[in-house]
Amino acid sequence: MSEKPGWDAIDGALRPLYGEIEPFHWAPDHPWSLGGPDPLDGISAYSRTDPVPHWHYVGYGMTELYEKEWDNRAESGWGFEFTFRLARGPEETEPPAWPTNFLQNLARYVFQSGKWFEPGHTIKANGPIAAGHADCTSHAVCFVTDPELGTIDSPHGRVRFLQLVGLTMPEYRAAQGGRGLELLARLEPQLPLYVTDIHREPLVSEPKPQARWPRWGGGLAGRA
């Protein structure tokens, strides 16, 4: 019997897309389970050419990768794993590392606050989401179910692949009041597979102040 059935379930979901391709992979030197700062035990990135060139990042660690420890039998751990699709330049042969730090920061937020993310939630970063890239126009993200990976049943319960989509500030404001999924549906024709281009211009105009919904902090939920 596998010692990491949850991890194997994620690999199984990726196999129809990527076969036996060996991804780029990052593993923390000192993981959270051993008292370290990084909750994700690993992050993989795959090179894609369709529908547009991009890197597909997939995290391991928000769900129960090894043993079943949570009481909820229906869900594995927090119930989701992060994914992210970043536009890939023609000269790029290796995926940038900054998304791995961003995913670890989001995972750390969930582990420390007890608040988790669901499709349609938004969260604003303290500046560009791409650390060290002052020209990055994405200062927030919205979450959506990964359009290719969807949701799977693992040996420890359900796992949703929750994809981050970079938003400009006008788009972030347009998503407030529970309109995140509505906004992404409007943007999808211009963002195939919700690939994030950190240099793109806003795809919506600034919402008029009187038309804005009440600001309620991005819809983060607390776990009882």
Side-chain angles (χ1 to χ4, degrees):
M1 184 175 179
S2 173
E3 295 181 355
K4 49 183 180 62
W7 191 300
D8 292 343
I10 297 171
D11 286 346
L14 292 165
R15 198 164 293 118
L17 287 178
Y18 300 114
E20 300 303 320
I21 293 174
E22 193 72 23
F24 292 87
H25 190 79
W26 294 265
D29 293 330
H30 194 196
W32 186 276
S33 58
L34 298 178
D38 296 325
L40 300 181
D41 284 11
I43 299 171
S44 290
Y46 295 84
S47 176
R48 289 285 294 269
T49 57
D50 62 304
V52 294
H54 68 279
W55 299 107
H56 190 192
Y57 295 78
V58 180
Y60 296 75
M62 301 303 296
T63 59
E64 295 162 290
L65 302 175
Y66 311 106
E67 299 177 355
K68 181 65 182 176
E69 298 176 342
W70 294 49
D71 292 335
N72 186 349
R73 311 301 298 184
E75 288 188 334
S76 178
W78 294 99
F80 65 87
E81 291 287 359
F82 289 120
T83 75
F84 180 59
R85 297 174 188 264
L86 178 66
R88 178 170 58 84
E91 75 290 348
E92 289 184 350
T93 57
E94 294 188 8
W98 69 259
T100 68
N101 296 323
F102 191 59
L103 294 180
Q104 290 286 14
N105 285 337
L106 287 173
R108 198 172 298 119
Y109 168 82
V110 174
F111 273 64
Q112 292 176 343
S113 71
K115 299 177 181 178
W116 69 94
F117 301 107
E118 295 182 4
H121 287 178
T122 60
I123 188 168
K124 182 172 65 172
N126 295 320
I129 65 170
H133 294 261
D135 57 347
C136 171
T137 57
S138 296
H139 286 222
V141 297
C142 187
F143 297 89
V144 66
T145 301
D146 188 298
E148 289 186 318
L149 295 176
T151 301
I152 64 170
D153 289 319
S154 81
H156 298 325
R158 186 172 58 249
V159 178
R160 182 196 302 273
F161 291 95
L162 195 62
Q163 182 173 321
L164 291 63
V165 185
L167 299 182
T168 63
M169 287 310 294
E171 293 158 359
Y172 170 73
R173 286 186 277 269
Q176 298 304 284
R179 298 176 120 176
L181 292 181
E182 176 186 331
L183 172 72
L184 291 183
R186 287 169 49 199
L187 300 185
E188 196 274 335
Q190 296 160 283
L191 300 178
L193 290 185
Y194 297 117
V195 172
T196 294
D197 179 349
I198 63 171
H199 300 118
R200 67 173 177 80
E201 295 298 314
L203 297 176
V204 301
S205 57
E206 189 71 47
K208 295 180 180 179
Q210 63 270 26
R212 289 183 190 165
W213 290 60
R215 301 187 69 176
W216 50 287
L220 302 184
R223 181 171 282 269

